[in-house]
Amino acid sequence: MIKLSTLLEKHPDDIDSTSGVIIESNNKILIMTKTEGGYTIPKGHMRKGETPRQAMHRELKEETQITLPTEPKFLYKTERPIDKGGDFMYVFHYKSDKELKPTLDHEHTDYSYIPISEVPDIYYLDKFINN
């Protein structure tokens, strides 16, 4: 049996920057419930030599088994707070005509599509929600 702590260890090529995608459908966005508590969009650490777009696609596939049929739009880059690991978070946006159903991985216990006005306070979503 594999221990959860082993699954959550960083990949040796991980860097501090992260990249993720906001998946929106009918004015709602996909929010994942993290195993250790809290909420997130599909995102994760970039790896050495990887572009933010490549990292976003890799993390989306690893965490949800979703492959987007078209390219998402790059929205912005924001600083990651020191308590979150520092460096940058790259945020992409994909608007879908239907809710894409993720397959949960070991990092998440649940998911839902939440109206944009009701999204929990997540630092890297502030610019998206307030625009």
Side-chain angles (χ1 to χ4, degrees):
M1 174 177 260
I2 298 173
K3 293 182 180 181
L4 182 59
S5 60
T6 302
L7 292 173
L8 296 177
E9 287 176 7
K10 285 179 69 170
H11 186 279
D13 289 334
D14 281 354
I15 61 174
D16 289 336
S17 287
T18 58
S19 188
V21 61
I22 297 167
I23 297 177
E24 179 182 355
S25 179
N26 298 314
N27 296 314
K28 296 178 180 179
I29 65 172
L30 174 63
I31 297 292
M32 313 287 289
T33 304
K34 298 189 287 187
T35 302
E36 70 273 11
Y39 303 96
T40 188
I41 60 172
K43 68 162 188 62
H45 286 275
M46 293 173 56
R47 294 192 178 150
K48 293 175 190 166
E50 207 172 37
T51 67
R53 187 172 294 278
Q54 289 169 330
M56 175 272 304
H57 280 296
R58 178 183 51 75
E59 286 290 344
L60 178 63
K61 183 69 174 172
E62 285 177 6
E63 293 185 357
T64 68
Q65 296 302 306
I66 292 173
T67 301
L68 300 175
T70 59
E71 281 298 315
K73 177 183 172 185
F74 173 72
L75 289 183
Y76 51 83
K77 169 178 141 179
T78 189
E79 288 190 44
R80 289 180 71 215
I82 296 299
D83 66 329
K84 303 285 185 191
D87 222 1
F88 299 102
M89 167 69 180
Y90 296 85
V91 181
F92 292 82
H93 179 240
Y94 182 77
K95 200 162 192 176
S96 179
D97 58 355
K98 63 181 179 181
E99 292 184 359
L100 304 178
K101 183 180 178 185
T103 299
L104 297 175
D105 69 349
H106 65 277
E107 294 182 41
H108 305 99
T109 59
D110 200 6
Y111 76 92
S112 59
Y113 278 83
I114 298 179
I116 293 171
S117 61
E118 298 174 20
V119 170
D121 184 27
I122 302 173
Y123 81 91
Y124 51 81
L125 294 180
D126 290 347
K127 287 183 186 178
F128 175 76
I129 292 169
N130 296 319
N131 283 334

